[in-house]
Amino acid sequence: MNTAISSTATAAAPVSGEAAQGSSPRSGVPADASRTAISVKGLVKHYGSMLALDHFDLDVHRGEIFGLLGPNGSGKTTVINCILALLTYEAGAISVFDRPMTPVSYDLKRRIGVVPQSVALFNELTVEENIDYFCSLYIPKREERSRLVREAVSFVGLEEFTRFRPGKLSGGLARRLNIACGIVHKPDLVLFDEPTVAVDPQSRNAILEGIERLRDAGATVLYTSHYMEEVEQICTRIMIMDHGRRIALGTANELKDMIDLGERITVGTLDLEQDTLGRIRALPFVMQADYDGRELNVVCRHGDRNLADLLDLLNASGTSTGHLISRPPSLNDVFLELTGKALRD
Amino acid sequence: MWTTLVTTIKVNLREKSNVFWMFAFPIILATLFVGMFSGLGGDGITPQRMAIVEDSNWSHVQQAGMLVKTLSGKDEANADRGTQQTLITPHAVDSIQSAQALVRKQQADGYLYANENGTLGIAVSDTLAADATNAISASNASITITALHSVINQFNQSMASAKTLAGDAARGLGNPSSNGTAASRNSYTYTTDHSLTHFAPDPFARYYYALLGMACLMSMSFAIVSITLSQANLSPLGARRSIAPLSKWKQLSASFCASWLVSFISLLVAFLYIRFVCGISAGGREGMAIVAIAISSFVATSCGLLIGALPWLSQGAKIGISTAIACIGALFAGLYGQYAMDVNDAISRKVPALHMLNPVKQVSDLFYDLLYYDSYRPFLLTTGIIILMGALFMGSAVMLLRRQRYEYL
């Protein structure tokens, strides 16, 4: 992928504040120089009788990639739509770059880019025309727009497809076009709502790299996804939400420390006695232990000597061991631990 | 706003179904009308090759020569009225035998002759007779033969009356047949052709105008698509556009104007085709007809704006509603044949207010007013109704579209 947007990073960073007054958001001297890009306080939102957001709080710092995780129906997209002043809400306050966000906050809107969950494009326009149209909503000057469109096309690697219409693009290419339309005007704040749904690993990797380049160029990113590994890969801080509430907030490691779950240990063995399995289950750090005749799987609590103590017990009991795997807890474990394993719609 | 307008025009013109239904469909339907009506209008009469047996009997029939001239469309007295119809292509022969020989050689379709008693007769070839009685024949020979028989019968009756009058006059006044002949001849001039309108009416024009009305209402779909794609609560694309720093009203205005323009263009194309290819007149008021198109497309776009603004309906459902409105409106405007036209006329006579609720009928009437009325008053009245209708649609749509934030998306 080209570095057209990231190439502006040295000139543009830190994130501007007064870009709202000009047509090029990431330029100029910041006037609203607090650390907060998005501030949501006590947001309450109902869909009919269903509570969608329950006194929800959110603070996204400037220059970070903030991950918003949650099961289906947890309220992620509702939060984004409230931030964008598309949805009404019953209580709470939302500000972006320290200013209240309303439907007519055009200065703020000029600094925001959105990559929606569904691919929202004109099927009758070509790739280039689509990007140019969305750019025109922010940048009136044709010459400036032409340059930005070229850079956006290059950023998402669609140079060979500029004359294609969206219907002729693969799912991954359409997603990349969706992104280009959202970031073409070089916003200070970009909201990505599950941008990698149904794309292949190569496209996903390209998208994630692009988001990191946006961050490097000074943009703040709010990123929602179901894919834990990609959130863990790119996000500075992560919030897990469910039922319209904040469940946990922190870095990936901080989140892992919040749960009782430690590593998962797998030991290959063919002669584990039932008595030995019972003694393993009785160890204080063991949460769960299962044996299927070939492998012993042990789920542990946090502890520094879990693996050593388990191996000592196996050696003492005369159990022969083959391969040995120890996996630290993943964000997926944290997510399932905090939100439960019940199926969601 | 300008790029939104241009983009909306592009989107509307590149949508294949739009191009078919709004541009191709009215032209196809108008072409079908041309085919349907061509057998019924004056142009459907096909001149037949007739031998004229100018023997001694023929020379005794007064005005026979004039009759042949009239039938062959060469009557100078009627030429300036533009009402002449050519029924025969004459070929003079000196005997019935010669005429029959021509028929046998297929150089004539029949012949006109005079009997000894001074009446005229017509004989047609077997081929022509068969053609005339064939219901599926495309030659229209039956119309020509019927017209020829009718004219000759009328001629014979007139001549018989003239002879009677001449006999009476000879007995009563002592002055011969010239008076009777004059009376007979003058009987043709007791009625003259006067048009009550500024332009010769075309009985089939109403169907084409109803077609324009339907095409106009079908063009609502331009506005429906444009509005659906610009509203956050109606489409993901609309949501995306709503978060841009361009006011909602600028986006809506651009979408409305673009839809109006495309609707105008589609109607203009249909009108030009109907006017110059199908030959349906606008009463010599083509300029005003273009104004009528602009007004018509305004009401269609306003109606489309209202339907497009309806929440909780998919774009497909809205297009379906607009198509249903156009088709039902066209039914009561008389588009679907004589029966529908009779219904249209019955409504006009008994419940004219009902027509005021039918935009297809009002659009159709705009063109009808231009063709049939000398005064512009009916046209202006219909224009007022349409503009009022459009304003109501637009006002209702604005009520639905005024929200900037939504409870649901």
Side-chain angles (χ1 to χ4, degrees):
Chain A
M1 298 243 301
N2 189 288
T3 56
I5 287 183
S6 60
S7 67
T8 64
T10 50
V15 177
S16 80
E18 273 317 294
Q21 295 176 7
S23 57
S24 182
R26 248 180 270 161
S27 61
V29 179
D32 45 1
S34 85
R35 285 187 63 218
T36 307
I38 300 173
S39 172
V40 177
K41 304 284 183 205
L43 198 61
V44 178
K45 165 73 184 168
H46 283 85
Y47 289 122
S49 60
M50 193 194 84
L51 180 63
L53 295 175
D54 183 6
H55 296 88
F56 181 80
D57 294 327
L58 171 70
D59 280 298
V60 178
H61 300 160
R62 293 184 184 215
E64 73 174 340
I65 300 177
F66 188 95
L68 188 57
L69 290 179
N72 287 335
S74 61
K76 302 184 298 294
T77 301
T78 301
V79 169
I80 287 181
N81 286 335
C82 286
I83 292 171
L84 294 171
L86 288 173
L87 283 175
T88 57
Y89 46 88
E90 291 82 49
I94 297 172
S95 61
V96 175
F97 296 122
D98 299 321
R99 296 184 204 170
M101 184 67 181
T102 70
V104 292
S105 300
Y106 299 129
D107 283 352
L108 286 178
K109 284 183 168 184
R110 207 165 277 129
R111 301 173 65 182
I112 300 173
V114 180
V115 179
Q117 188 172 342
S118 53
V119 176
L121 302 164
F122 288 103
N123 289 322
E124 296 78 15
L125 301 185
T126 64
V127 164
E128 192 168 28
E129 287 170 336
N130 264 294
I131 300 172
D132 182 63
Y133 171 71
F134 285 104
C135 191
S136 76
L137 296 174
Y138 299 82
I139 311 287
K141 289 180 185 169
R142 178 180 284 274
E143 300 76 27
E144 188 179 358
R145 225 163 56 219
S146 299
R147 179 179 58 80
L148 290 170
V149 169
R150 279 197 307 276
E151 290 178 2
V153 166
S154 170
F155 185 83
V156 295
L158 288 176
E159 294 93 335
E160 294 173 23
F161 304 96
T162 53
R163 300 286 170 198
F164 282 53
R165 293 193 186 180
K168 299 288 181 189
L169 298 178
S170 67
L173 292 175
R175 285 271 165 195
R176 280 149 69 179
L177 173 58
N178 204 33
I179 291 172
C181 293
I183 53 97
V184 60
H185 59 291
K186 295 192 175 177
D188 290 330
L189 171 64
V190 194
L191 282 66
F192 287 91
D193 193 2
E194 301 184 25
T196 56
V197 170
V199 300
D200 59 37
Q202 286 81 1
S203 290
R204 180 179 299 173
N205 191 53
I207 289 170
L208 296 180
E209 283 179 5
I211 291 170
E212 287 184 307
R213 286 212 307 278
L214 285 173
R215 187 265 321 275
D216 295 343
T220 304
V221 175
L222 175 60
Y223 186 89
T224 77
S225 177
H226 287 304
Y227 300 112
M228 303 300 149
E229 69 280 10
E230 60 186 45
V231 171
E232 194 169 359
Q233 178 186 333
I234 65 169
C235 291
T236 318
R237 292 190 303 146
I238 299 160
M239 176 187 284
I240 296 175
M241 66 180 297
D242 199 10
H243 302 297
R245 289 189 298 271
R246 185 172 86 182
I247 304 292
L249 171 66
T251 62
N253 286 334
E254 285 170 346
L255 291 179
K256 288 172 190 173
D257 287 341
M258 285 179 194
I259 59 172
D260 201 22
L261 186 68
E263 71 259 56
R264 292 171 184 273
I265 300 169
T266 301
V267 182
T269 175
L270 299 173
D271 56 359
L272 183 69
E273 300 288 337
Q274 198 63 31
D275 176 54
T276 308
L277 181 60
R279 286 161 57 197
I280 290 170
R281 284 175 175 157
L283 289 171
F285 60 83
V286 173
M287 298 170 71
Q288 186 183 336
D290 298 303
Y291 179 58
D292 62 5
R294 289 183 302 168
E295 282 187 340
L296 167 67
N297 290 294
V298 181
V299 180
C300 306
R301 293 192 176 84
H302 282 294
D304 295 333
R305 291 189 45 79
N306 294 346
L307 182 59
D309 289 350
L310 178 65
L311 288 178
D312 286 347
L313 191 151
L314 289 172
N315 287 334
S317 65
T319 306
S320 56
T321 57
H323 63 271
L324 178 68
I325 302 168
S326 174
R327 288 188 299 270
S330 66
L331 199 56
N332 198 50
D333 295 324
V334 177
F335 186 82
L336 290 174
E337 181 82 8
L338 293 177
T339 61
K341 294 181 179 176
L343 289 175
R344 307 296 178 94
D345 54 354
Chain B
M1 184 172 166
W2 173 251
T3 49
T4 297
L5 187 133
V6 172
T7 298
T8 308
I9 292 172
K10 273 186 195 172
V11 167
N12 276 324
L13 292 178
R14 287 182 185 176
E15 168 60 43
K16 285 175 187 164
S17 64
N18 270 355
V19 171
F20 176 78
W21 288 109
M22 308 310 150
F23 288 91
F25 180 66
I27 288 174
I28 291 168
L29 210 54
T31 308
L32 287 175
F33 279 7
V34 171
M36 283 163 55
F37 296 145
S38 63
L40 302 175
D43 292 338
I45 291 176
T46 312
Q48 303 298 328
R49 298 169 300 166
M50 284 288 162
I52 311 298
V53 184
E54 295 183 348
D55 56 7
S56 56
N57 289 342
W58 183 269
S59 60
H60 289 123
V61 180
Q62 294 182 16
Q63 306 296 329
M66 182 61 74
L67 176 68
V68 170
K69 274 190 175 180
T70 303
L71 293 177
S72 55
K74 294 175 181 169
D75 182 3
E76 291 170 3
N78 286 325
D80 58 339
R81 294 188 190 175
T83 55
Q84 276 190 290
Q85 190 62 258
T86 303
L87 293 177
I88 64 169
T89 307
H91 185 318
V93 294
D94 55 7
S95 66
I96 287 184
Q97 289 74 18
S98 302
Q100 288 172 338
L102 281 179
V103 170
R104 278 195 295 273
K105 292 178 190 169
Q106 297 188 337
Q107 292 174 359
D109 300 313
Y111 55 91
L112 277 178
Y113 61 95
N115 293 310
E116 290 177 352
N117 60 7
T119 58
L120 295 187
I122 181 171
V124 298
S125 67
D126 292 341
T127 310
L128 181 58
D131 199 16
T133 53
N134 184 357
I136 59 170
S137 168
S139 71
N140 299 319
S142 62
I143 298 172
T144 312
I145 297 302
T146 304
L148 279 173
H149 274 294
S150 175
V151 169
I152 288 167
N153 285 339
Q154 192 180 0
F155 180 85
N156 287 335
Q157 285 172 13
S158 299
M159 287 299 108
S161 300
K163 278 183 180 172
T164 306
L165 283 172
D168 292 346
R171 282 191 296 276
L173 300 174
N175 195 353
S177 55
S178 59
N179 285 342
T181 308
S184 158
R185 190 189 307 137
N186 287 343
S187 70
Y188 287 102
T189 60
Y190 291 156
T191 57
T192 54
D193 186 8
H194 287 287
S195 175
L196 295 176
T197 61
H198 78 283
F199 205 84
D202 181 342
F204 303 121
R206 301 168 75 196
Y207 292 97
Y208 291 91
Y209 296 157
L211 168 59
L212 278 178
M214 188 177 83
C216 173
L217 267 287
M218 295 274 281
S219 71
M220 280 191 288
S221 62
F222 291 130
I224 291 172
V225 172
S226 301
I227 295 305
T228 304
L229 295 183
S230 67
Q231 286 298 294
N233 62 328
L234 301 178
S235 66
L237 186 55
R240 185 170 206 167
R241 292 168 71 184
S242 297
I243 54 186
L246 184 63
S247 84
K248 181 190 191 80
W249 299 112
K250 281 185 180 173
Q251 294 214 36
L252 283 177
S253 300
S255 296
F256 183 86
C257 291
S259 305
W260 187 1
L261 182 63
V262 178
S263 170
F264 173 81
I265 293 169
S266 75
L267 263 189
L268 184 64
V269 169
F271 171 75
L272 292 176
Y273 185 82
I274 286 171
R275 172 67 190 88
F276 294 107
V277 179
C278 304
I280 300 301
S281 173
R285 293 166 167 170
E286 278 72 15
M288 289 305 290
I290 290 173
V291 174
I293 290 169
I295 296 165
S296 307
S297 44
F298 167 74
V299 76
T301 307
S302 299
C303 192
L305 185 71
L306 176 58
I307 295 172
L310 294 174
W312 313 124
L313 286 176
S314 69
Q315 183 178 304
K318 290 173 184 175
I319 299 282
I321 289 171
S322 72
T323 306
I325 290 173
C327 291
I328 293 170
L331 168 67
F332 293 109
L335 178 67
Y336 308 133
Q338 188 57 47
Y339 176 75
M341 199 55 87
D342 291 344
V343 172
N344 167 30
D345 292 337
I347 294 172
S348 295
R349 284 193 303 273
K350 294 176 181 172
V351 260
L354 209 57
H355 273 330
M356 291 177 68
L357 302 174
N358 183 355
V360 178
K361 172 64 179 168
Q362 294 303 320
V363 170
S364 168
D365 278 357
L366 264 186
F367 299 95
Y368 185 85
D369 294 343
L370 284 177
L371 178 64
Y372 283 93
Y373 293 103
D374 294 329
S375 162
Y376 278 115
R377 188 180 167 80
F379 175 78
L380 292 175
L381 186 65
T382 310
T383 299
I385 293 170
I386 287 180
I387 289 177
L388 181 65
M389 202 181 273
L392 284 174
F393 290 147
M394 190 184 268
S396 307
V398 167
M399 294 296 285
L400 288 171
L401 294 169
R402 72 185 191 284
R403 292 183 67 85
Q404 304 247 33
R405 283 202 250 209
Y406 305 91
E407 193 174 346
Y408 299 88
L409 283 182

